[in-house]
Amino acid sequence: MTKGADPYAATAAAPEAYPGQPAYPPPGQPTYAAPGAYPGYGAPGHGYPGQHPGQYPGGYPMQPPPPGQRRNGMGTAALVLGIIGIVFDLGAFGMRNGSGGGAILIAGVLQILAIVFGAVGIGRARRGEATNRGAAVAGLVLGIVGLVLVLLLILLLAVFLSSFHLY
């Protein structure tokens, strides 16, 4: 090869290559492919030419997940359960004829779960395992407020039902 010559330039015997791509070798010249592989395609089972096992197609090595990955599920679950429980609490106020008992029961279960998940989420945030301390605190507060509403609803339902005289 001469000095200053383009090593990837197409030869007269080979078809023209795209810019930046090597030309196909002339017929009869070895391609240095693995036995049984198609010429110019690399060894079988490697995906793309020049790619090694454990690499993405772009040639970048795969990265393991970061150590100590954040576990924000409990705080988020506490917030969601607290909100849904408050909605059930408010829905029980609008039900007539004492039919809010089922909504009160569902709201009570959701609020207890919100309190438990919120406390666990705050503990994880304190230990540095989670980053959503605010969501965990909000879920805990909503759970406590919702549980107080559930207890008030049970008291109102008991007073309402005891006002009827069944003769």
Side-chain angles (χ1 to χ4, degrees), residues 2-89:
T2 62
K3 187 172 183 173
D6 185 8
Y8 297 110
T11 60
E16 196 170 308
Y18 290 106
Q21 296 289 321
Y24 291 109
Q29 195 174 17
T31 59
Y32 303 107
Y38 293 104
Y41 289 102
H46 281 259
Y48 294 100
Q51 179 185 3
H52 299 288
Q55 282 186 331
Y56 288 119
Y60 299 104
M62 286 193 267
Q63 298 292 324
Q69 191 172 12
R70 303 293 180 224
R71 299 168 56 194
N72 292 329
M74 286 294 185
T76 305
L79 181 62
V80 169
L81 290 174
I83 292 170
I84 294 172
I86 292 286
V87 168
F88 269 92
D89 282 339

Side-chain angles (χ1 to χ4, degrees), residues 95-102 104 152-167:
M95 294 186 180
R96 298 180 185 193
N97 302 329
S99 62
I104 293 172
L152 285 174
L153 284 170
I154 290 173
L155 182 66
L156 286 173
L157 188 63
V159 168
F160 176 75
L161 291 177
S162 68
S163 67
F164 289 107
H165 297 286
L166 301 174
Y167 288 75

